[in-house]
Amino acid sequence: MFNQTDSKINGVGLGLKRELIPQIQAAFGNSTIANLNFVEIAPENWIEIGGKAAKQLDWFAERYPIACHGLCLSLGGLAPLDTIFLNQVKQFLQQYQIPLYTEHLSYSTDGYKGQQGYLYDLLPVPFTEEAVHYVAKRIRQTQDILGQRIGIENASFYVQAPISTMDELTFIKAVLTEADCLLHLDINNIYVNSVNFGHDLSDGLKADPIKIAQEFLRAIPGERIAYAHMAGHYQQAPDLLIDTHGADVIDPVWALLEEAYRLFGAFPTCLERDNNIPPLHVLMREVNKIADFQKHAKS
């Protein structure tokens, strides 16, 4: 049911961090990393890079499909889209034959007096009809420049805009439809938001976040899924999870992935680990677990 498109991204991927590069190169061709099918990079970290890093990227481009997941486009921001940067992204995608580019459904700039000031965080867009039209227009502009559809990722957030007039899922679906773009489904973010913003019950207790997350997942337009993220988070309080990508994936998030495969088929899935990065052989345990889930879903 997920969107196959003509992408070469399949199976299980891993975020390509600098410390992992020599480890993957040394293990290439070994059965220990046989389930590693693609790698994911942030284009901001690689565009116009030279020297040793450029040679490393060439090495990966010759051996693995690459997905690009952006960090700073600020689709919900007030400043005009950075078209110079987008044209750099277009050239980069073409140079390395990268089939897929995704970004966050959020904003990361303040747009003060028309200037592009970066906030170094991913902040939530208010869930309003006006914001749907605004963000969808910017996504369509991005797609026109790149000459291809992009994927937008459901973001984690920690405060709700008081002016919101719809829930997160309604907002996401409206943007997907109006922009005619793909969905980059973050499984962990669904769970994080279900804990942070679980519905209050009449007795003052919170509804079961697992049930909330499952309801969210079931209503996702599966035909728009390009690929997914799996990651760990930090529990700051019983009702506050922080999406750090710095810990192992927990059982409720694994259960959500298994349910997603049951609902939509075994779509490509990338393991994110941005902090407290263990050796490759440790990360491969979670990569292999995703691969096992995919095989079970296809059987």
Side-chain angles (χ1 to χ4, degrees):
M1 188 177 179
F2 71 93
N3 191 291
Q4 297 273 2
T5 66
D6 58 355
S7 173
K8 299 177 182 178
I9 303 302
N10 289 291
V12 189
L14 180 63
L16 186 61
K17 300 303 175 184
R18 305 283 185 186
E19 53 266 60
L20 295 177
I21 289 174
Q23 298 178 62
I24 295 174
Q25 290 177 320
F28 184 74
N30 191 304
S31 61
T32 58
I33 63 167
N35 286 325
L36 181 57
N37 307 123
F38 69 94
V39 294
E40 179 189 82
I41 62 174
E44 294 89 338
N45 296 333
W46 295 91
I47 288 175
E48 296 186 344
I49 203 164
K52 178 181 177 181
K55 292 180 180 179
Q56 290 174 330
L57 184 57
D58 289 340
W59 186 93
F60 277 90
E62 291 172 0
R63 292 164 177 81
Y64 288 102
I66 298 174
C68 269
H69 183 52
L71 301 171
C72 68
L73 190 55
S74 195
L75 287 169
L78 296 177
L81 282 176
D82 188 342
T83 56
I84 294 176
F85 168 69
L86 276 174
N87 278 290
Q88 290 177 321
V89 170
K90 180 178 183 178
Q91 183 178 358
F92 184 76
L93 297 177
Q94 292 173 343
Q95 178 181 354
Y96 289 98
Q97 298 183 338
I98 296 172
L100 192 55
Y101 173 66
T102 69
E103 251 288 358
H104 302 83
L105 186 55
S106 61
Y107 72 97
S108 56
T109 54
D110 61 5
Y112 179 68
K113 293 185 178 180
Q115 300 299 311
Q116 186 94 308
Y118 285 96
L119 303 173
Y120 300 100
D121 205 346
L122 300 170
L123 302 175
V125 179
F127 303 146
T128 66
E129 184 175 352
E130 180 183 7
V132 168
H133 302 322
Y134 179 78
V135 174
K137 181 179 180 180
R138 288 162 70 88
I139 293 172
R140 291 196 304 270
Q141 182 184 357
T142 298
Q143 294 180 147
D144 288 344
I145 292 172
L146 297 180
Q148 66 185 65
R149 288 206 292 178
I150 69 169
I152 56 169
E153 182 186 55
N154 55 297
S156 59
F157 55 99
Y158 312 102
V159 62
Q160 290 180 311
I163 64 172
S164 292
T165 58
M166 60 184 74
D167 60 49
E168 180 192 8
L169 182 58
T170 301
F171 179 76
I172 291 172
K173 292 168 73 172
V175 171
L176 290 171
T177 299
E178 186 166 329
D180 190 22
C181 61
L182 302 174
L183 173 64
H184 185 167
L185 182 63
D186 192 301
I187 303 294
N188 182 60
N189 286 353
I190 295 177
Y191 182 74
V192 166
N193 290 350
S194 73
V195 172
N196 293 349
F197 301 99
H199 302 300
D200 289 318
L201 301 176
S202 58
D203 57 5
L205 299 176
K206 293 283 187 179
D208 183 355
I210 295 177
K211 291 183 179 180
I212 295 172
Q214 289 174 337
E215 290 174 2
F216 186 104
L217 186 64
R218 293 187 188 109
I220 284 291
E223 71 280 0
R224 290 193 181 269
I225 298 173
Y227 74 113
H229 271 164
M230 284 288 281
H233 55 256
Y234 171 69
Q235 183 168 347
Q236 185 166 317
D239 59 351
L240 178 58
L241 305 182
I242 308 297
D243 181 37
T244 59
H245 305 167
D248 294 344
V249 180
I250 67 170
D251 288 343
V253 179
W254 285 117
L256 275 182
L257 179 66
E258 192 170 23
E259 175 69 3
Y261 286 164
R262 186 189 68 80
L263 291 169
F264 308 122
F267 43 76
T269 303
C270 179
L271 177 67
E272 289 186 294
R273 190 64 179 256
D274 296 334
N275 301 290
N276 304 319
I277 301 174
L280 178 63
H281 74 271
V282 175
L283 288 176
M284 284 305 301
R285 297 171 189 168
E286 293 190 319
V287 169
N288 293 337
K289 187 168 183 175
I290 295 171
D292 288 342
F293 277 23
Q294 291 180 340
K295 292 173 185 175
H296 179 72
K298 294 174 181 178
S299 62

